Amino acid sequence: MTKDPLDKLILWCLWGIAIVVCLITAGVTVVQNDKTIDSLKHQTTIQQNKIDKQQREVSRLEQTNKALANQANQAKGE
């Protein structure tokens, strides 16, 4: 290892820079992940709203279909 105080100082500075770079990289990654999560939550909400709307439409059509089938059955019985 180095014995010169200047070499030790340079080594400590390099370690410090490496740690700072790692912390900044980790921070940026966390922020990007948070933005991605928020975007996915928003997209999920939009898709769930579409699914809910389609399910209501299917339910409405099923009720209409039952009513028409009942009318047809009543007409056959008369």
Side-chain angles (χ1 to χ4, degrees), residues 55-71:
Q55 287 175 337
R56 287 192 301 272
E57 181 68 13
V58 166
S59 178
R60 186 185 67 77
L61 291 173
E62 285 174 344
Q63 290 174 355
T64 302
N65 193 25
K66 284 180 186 178
L68 290 172
N70 286 340
Q71 284 179 353

Side-chain angles (χ1 to χ4, degrees), residues 13-38:
C13 287
L14 289 175
W15 273 109
I17 290 169
I19 290 171
V20 168
V21 167
C22 288
L23 291 174
I24 289 172
T25 301
V28 167
T29 301
V30 167
V31 169
Q32 286 176 342
N33 286 345
D34 285 347
K35 287 181 180 179
T36 301
I37 289 169
D38 289 343

